[in-house]
């Protein structure tokens, strides 16, 4: 019943979430601009719990329920938060790193699919070294690719000039701690994407992984490249099931006299597939790394204003 839902979403269960927050994010190819995001007060910039996701076909009977509850939760949280004024400025950054291994003999780079192992070790070190909550520290989050790690400050920055001095210091700390746990043949360059992703059948470490797996059904990207966390595999498989087909990205080739596909005038403009780079997996988008910034505004009006100013940059 609606009254019961209203009582639930107004209860203390939602009190552990923060106040008016502006988040600009992107997920599985869709641009999402979320005016109000309820991030946990722990200082971490996202929550990802382990569960057992439903298959797309199994979720169909529950979609109406989920949509209605989502709308009700948003309305009730908005009603609870709209009266807040002059809230503290809290903000932070997120940097995504790709782990790359260089073969010392072949001099060939490959993505190292050890992110889950590394993240567990990094978070354990953070917990062991945390003497005081006031000390500068890091938090490590899972990302879509099993070669990707996201690093954030352990506690958010505030609105003082002293906090501006923390940004570079914490970024350097994150990189130092990540590099300290890598193997001698590994590095973590902050590249937007790994250039050789899917370009051959030998771009991963461990080697010998086969494409055309049951999750992505990609002829280029093995399923092992997807983070083993249940959310990411379910996201990939269910979007493909909903679409009825796998991803089909066509990126036009750069026109140049040295591009073989444009050497034959008879083919010029006749075949888009022959003159494009094909990509058939979510990993080509979700596997990109970037710098993100999250702000907590002082009230809903400021959140809306910030959204309007930043939305054009999308």
């Amino acid at each position: 019943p609606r009254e019961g839902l209203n009582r639930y979403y107004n209860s203390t269960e939602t009190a552990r979430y923060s106040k008016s927050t502006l988040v600009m994010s992107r997920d599985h190819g869709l641009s999402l601009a979320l005016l109000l995001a309820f991030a946990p007060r722990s200082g971490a910039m996202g929550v990802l719990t382990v569960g057992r996701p439903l298959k797309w076909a199994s979720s169909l009977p529950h979609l109406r329920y989920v949509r209605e509850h989502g709308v009700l939760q948003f309305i009730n949280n908005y009603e609870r938060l709209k009266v807040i004024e002059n809230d503290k400025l809290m903000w932070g950054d997120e940097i995504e790193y790709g782990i790359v291994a260089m073969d010392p003999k072949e001099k060939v780079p490959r993505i190292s699919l050890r992110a889950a192992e590394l993240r567990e070790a990094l978070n354990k070190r953070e917990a062991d070294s945390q003497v005081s909550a006031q000390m500068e520290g890091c938090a490590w989050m899972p990302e879509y690719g099993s070669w990707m790690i996201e690093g954030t400050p352990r506690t958010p920055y505030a609105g003082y000039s002293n906090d501006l001095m923390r940004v570079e210091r914490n970024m350097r700390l994150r990189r130092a701690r990540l590099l300290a746990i890598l193997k001698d043949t590994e590095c973590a360059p902050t590249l937007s994407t790994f250039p050789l992703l899917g370009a051959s059948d030998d771009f991963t470490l461990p080697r010998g992984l086969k494409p055309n797996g049951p999750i992505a059904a990609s002829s280029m990207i093995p399923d092992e490249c997807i983070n083993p966390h249940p959310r990411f595999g379910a996201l990939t498989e269910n979007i493909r099931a909903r679409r009825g087909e796998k991803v089909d990205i066509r990126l036009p080739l750069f026109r140049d006299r040295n591009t073989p596909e444009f050497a034959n005038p008879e083919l010029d403009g006749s075949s888009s597939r022959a003159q494009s780079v094909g990509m058939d997996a979510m990993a080509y988008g979700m596997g990109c790394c970037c710098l993100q910034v999250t702000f907590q505004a002082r009230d809903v009006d400021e959140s809306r204003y910030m959204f309007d100013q930043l939305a054009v940059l999308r």
Side-chain angles (χ1 to χ4, degrees):
R2 186 176 299 272
E3 294 77 9
L5 290 174
N6 288 338
R7 285 196 300 272
Y8 171 76
Y9 288 124
N10 278 320
S11 70
T12 55
E13 178 67 21
T14 57
R16 60 192 175 91
Y17 294 99
S18 72
K19 305 170 185 176
S20 50
T21 306
L22 174 75
V23 175
M24 302 288 288
S25 62
R26 180 173 61 240
D27 200 8
H28 57 265
L30 299 176
S31 292
L32 303 178
L34 304 180
L35 175 63
L36 295 175
F38 308 105
R41 289 186 173 279
S42 63
M45 304 180 76
V47 174
L48 201 57
T49 57
V50 176
R52 185 173 59 86
L54 293 174
K55 299 286 187 180
W56 171 247
S58 301
S59 68
L60 292 176
H62 308 290
L63 294 186
R64 182 186 179 103
Y65 177 89
V66 172
R67 290 191 185 106
E68 182 176 357
H69 281 232
V71 171
L72 287 172
Q73 184 175 9
F74 177 84
I75 292 173
N76 283 289
N77 274 298
Y78 176 78
E79 291 294 330
R80 181 172 60 87
L81 301 172
K82 69 180 182 180
V83 298
I84 294 174
E85 296 181 351
N86 296 318
D87 200 5
K88 293 180 180 179
L89 170 62
M90 307 293 284
W91 62 285
D93 72 274
E94 308 167 9
I95 298 180
E96 296 159 347
Y97 310 87
I99 311 302
V100 177
M102 177 66 75
D103 189 304
K105 295 182 179 179
E106 300 178 6
K107 304 298 182 182
V108 175
R110 297 180 177 88
I111 54 175
S112 179
L113 308 184
R114 297 203 309 127
E117 169 192 342
L118 294 174
R119 191 178 72 87
E120 182 178 353
L122 284 166
N123 281 329
K124 185 178 185 305
R125 287 192 179 188
E126 293 290 336
D128 293 342
S129 63
Q130 184 174 351
V131 179
S132 168
Q134 302 301 318
M135 291 180 60
E136 200 70 63
C138 314
W140 305 94
M141 309 295 173
E143 266 298 332
Y144 181 86
S146 56
W147 72 98
M148 300 167 64
I149 296 179
E150 178 182 281
T152 71
R154 185 169 61 203
T155 57
Y157 308 132
Y160 300 98
S161 57
N162 182 52
D163 289 278
L164 296 176
M165 304 297 292
R166 290 181 55 199
V167 178
E168 183 178 350
R169 184 166 67 241
N170 192 274
M171 287 182 174
R172 289 179 178 274
L173 179 64
R174 275 174 269 168
R175 174 160 290 281
R177 290 186 175 178
L178 177 57
L179 293 179
I181 205 170
L182 298 181
K183 295 179 179 178
D184 292 340
T185 56
E186 292 176 330
C187 61
T190 43
L191 296 172
S192 58
T193 187
F194 181 64
L196 300 180
L197 188 68
S200 69
D201 57 358
D202 187 21
F203 66 93
T204 64
L205 194 67
R207 303 171 68 174
L209 302 179
K210 303 298 182 182
N212 297 303
I215 297 177
S218 169
S219 60
M220 307 173 189
I221 307 294
D223 283 349
E224 289 83 356
C225 290
I226 302 173
N227 190 306
H229 189 286
R231 172 197 173 182
F232 297 105
L235 179 73
T236 304
E237 187 174 6
N238 287 353
I239 289 178
R240 181 172 58 83
R242 185 188 65 191
R243 287 166 50 97
E245 59 182 2
K246 64 181 180 180
V247 175
D248 185 16
I249 304 170
R250 296 289 162 181
L251 182 66
L253 286 174
F254 179 72
R255 295 183 65 90
D256 183 82
R257 62 184 180 183
N258 295 320
T259 306
E261 286 78 1
F262 293 108
N264 187 348
E266 297 180 0
L267 294 178
D268 193 14
S270 63
S271 174
S272 61
R273 287 183 175 269
Q275 299 176 10
S276 62
V277 177
M279 292 169 275
D280 67 350
M282 286 177 57
Y284 287 105
M286 299 287 283
C288 292
C289 297
C290 68
L291 166 68
Q292 303 170 51
V293 181
T294 304
F295 290 94
Q296 177 173 279
R298 63 184 177 185
D299 53 39
V300 173
D301 289 338
E302 186 178 65
S303 291
R304 287 174 168 167
Y305 181 81
M306 291 174 66
F307 171 79
D308 289 343
Q309 298 303 310
L310 295 175
V312 295
L313 302 178
R314 302 288 294 169

